[in-house]
Amino acid sequence: MLDTYSTQVFTNTVIKVTDLNHYFGKGALKKQVLFNINLEIKSGEIVIMTGPSGSGKTTLLSLMGGLRSAQEGSLKILEQEILGASKNKLTKLRRQIGYIFQAHNLMTFLTAKENVRMSLELHEQYLNQDIDKKTISMLEEVGLGERVNYYPEDLSGGQKQRVAIARALVSHPKIVLADEPTASLDKQSGRDVVELMQKLAKEQGCTILLVTHDNRILDIADRIVYMEDGKLKKDGVDVRAKVN
Ligand code: ADP
Ligand code: MG
């Protein structure tokens, strides 16, 4: 699988983090959780971030996704500085990013189809297209063509996570941020889910940053970075270089 992609050249930078610091709390309780983070991710790259619990991975991911306000340093997403960006700018940015979390975060009162559909409805450019058709063909791509009208409670863990992938990728985002997407899945479902993400992302040319503790899926990455105590310890472990 890796060989297929080994000739790929990554050129455009889609995420550029420079000297980023982050703090929680105020006054005497103020605590620094990210220290001088520098990281550049190119278009089409699949980067895996690992590291112990509490090392700052989720914090960094949520800053990159515009889900939390950046405080110090520089954070450029799709060539736009998001440190100090307006709410409006952050909202627009969030629409260009697909999110996949540990718990699938599906709306329990909506069917698989309605959950995926909702993500398209946020995009004006899709409103005059056949949203239902797009939604169903995305669910077919993740192998859930027979389950479009099921509610989350009637789907297995792996199936729910596949709905979440369909929801994240249906609008063809330039970036997908995934926080421990396999944590609640058994070995085989976890593997299936990341291989599916990899396949769809490579088809769409989308960039993936995936946080995981799961050593069994590291091989899907183009590059692995390691976070410890709020610092990026290792950047640039090129998986393909090791293989070749
Ligand atoms: P990871 O995802 O690597 O497990 P986190 O980014 O969740 O790490 O957490 C990094 C550090 O920041 C931890 O010490 C955690 O306790 C702290 N932290 C995370 N979120 C908050 C918050 N909302 N308020 C205060 N401290 C937080
Ligand atoms: Mg986390």
Side-chain angles (χ1 to χ4, degrees):
M1 169 94 44
L2 288 164
D3 272 343
T4 325
Y5 304 124
S6 61
T7 52
Q8 197 167 352
V9 183
F10 304 111
T11 48
N12 299 331
T13 298
V14 292
I15 296 175
K16 189 168 167 61
V17 186
T18 314
D19 298 334
L20 188 75
N21 293 309
H22 195 80
Y23 309 81
F24 283 118
K26 284 197 170 77
L29 295 176
K30 185 167 162 177
K31 181 182 155 211
Q32 186 164 3
V33 295
L34 293 179
F35 297 81
N36 206 36
I37 305 287
N38 287 283
L39 178 65
E40 197 171 328
I41 300 178
K42 305 277 189 189
S43 171
E45 245 191 317
I46 297 182
V47 175
I48 284 187
M49 185 184 294
T50 63
S53 179
S55 58
K57 306 180 298 297
T58 295
T59 305
L60 182 56
L61 213 68
S62 58
L63 288 168
M64 287 174 173
L67 302 171
R68 188 183 285 293
S69 297
Q71 298 167 341
E72 208 174 285
S74 163
L75 181 52
K76 281 193 177 147
I77 308 292
L78 300 168
E79 298 185 339
Q80 301 212 49
E81 177 61 60
I82 67 162
L83 195 119
S86 65
K87 272 197 173 143
N88 192 18
K89 194 167 163 186
L90 286 179
T91 305
K92 282 196 181 131
L93 173 80
R94 284 197 288 265
R95 289 194 190 135
Q96 302 190 64
I97 299 177
Y99 305 92
I100 301 169
F101 302 102
Q102 171 176 351
H104 51 79
N105 286 33
L106 299 177
M107 301 284 181
T108 54
F109 51 90
L110 298 178
T111 63
K113 189 173 90 178
E114 289 162 347
N115 266 288
V116 176
R117 217 191 121 94
M118 218 175 60
S119 141
L120 276 182
E121 285 166 349
L122 295 171
H123 295 78
E124 271 173 34
Q125 78 259 35
Y126 293 115
L127 290 182
N128 53 7
Q129 297 181 25
D130 193 340
I131 291 189
D132 255 358
K133 200 170 141 199
K134 264 196 151 52
T135 300
I136 291 168
S137 79
M138 189 70 216
L139 282 164
E140 283 167 352
E141 274 207 70
V142 300
L144 292 174
E146 313 280 297
R147 299 279 189 279
V148 295
N149 293 317
Y150 280 53
Y151 286 91
E153 64 179 7
D154 299 320
L155 298 170
S156 71
Q159 287 170 337
K160 279 186 277 219
Q161 206 52 304
R162 281 189 274 148
V163 177
I165 291 174
R167 181 183 56 182
L169 287 166
V170 69
S171 60
H172 290 221
K174 299 209 173 63
I175 300 172
V176 168
L177 300 175
D179 198 352
E180 311 209 22
T182 65
S184 59
L185 303 179
D186 63 62
K187 184 179 172 198
Q188 191 55 47
S189 320
R191 184 79 216 169
D192 290 349
V193 156
V194 290
E195 282 184 0
L196 187 63
M197 283 175 65
Q198 181 189 37
K199 171 176 167 285
L200 294 173
K202 291 292 174 185
E203 280 170 14
Q204 296 186 6
C206 121
T207 303
I208 296 186
L209 178 58
L210 191 158
V211 167
T212 190
H213 282 297
D214 190 346
N215 288 331
R216 298 169 308 214
I217 63 170
L218 297 182
D219 62 295
I220 70 143
D222 297 308
R223 183 153 62 103
I224 298 168
V225 299
Y226 183 73
M227 179 86 100
E228 199 178 298
D229 297 333
K231 297 175 186 120
L232 264 192
K233 290 286 181 191
K234 227 189 297 176
D235 177 12
V237 180
D238 192 323
V239 178
R240 291 161 304 148
K242 268 195 308 198
V243 171
N244 293 338

